[in-house]
Amino acid sequence: HMEDIASRLNPDSLRGHQQEIFGSIMGAGSHGLTDEEGQNLLLIEGSSYRPARKRLADAGYIVSNATRDNSNGNEVRIWVASTE
């Protein structure tokens, strides 16, 4: 099923922050990235990062099936590439 989704995705069509974010999440492999980690890595403000990350998730490029604590001790979602 994941292969079906992955075959319909075209990362080359991503632009701007979506392309940067997807590349970083892909690069993180199975460890994945939280929003905070991605924002710090790419130096993108949350107000720009989160909507772009949400579009990636809605389109099936990334999935979250785990959480970890962020720097404030809050449990947050970990995002990984849907092909991971």
Side-chain angles (χ1 to χ4, degrees):
H1 178 71
M2 291 309 280
E3 292 77 24
D4 296 341
I5 294 170
S7 69
R8 289 197 302 272
L9 300 179
N10 179 11
D12 294 335
S13 70
L14 298 174
R15 295 287 172 259
H17 287 324
Q18 286 184 70
Q19 190 174 46
E20 290 180 276
I21 293 166
F22 182 66
S24 296
I25 290 172
M26 282 278 294
S30 60
H31 181 72
L33 290 175
T34 66
D35 284 353
E36 179 183 51
E37 291 163 349
Q39 289 165 43
N40 291 340
L41 182 69
L42 297 170
L43 304 177
I44 298 173
E45 291 291 325
S47 58
S48 297
Y49 186 96
R50 285 186 301 273
R53 190 265 303 141
K54 183 179 187 314
R55 287 192 295 274
L56 288 171
D58 290 348
Y61 284 92
I62 60 173
V63 294
S64 175
N65 50 15
T67 61
R68 66 173 158 253
D69 289 351
N70 69 5
S71 61
N72 298 327
N74 298 317
E75 194 174 281
V76 294
R77 298 182 91 134
I78 302 166
W79 296 95
V80 297
S82 57
T83 53
E84 187 58 48

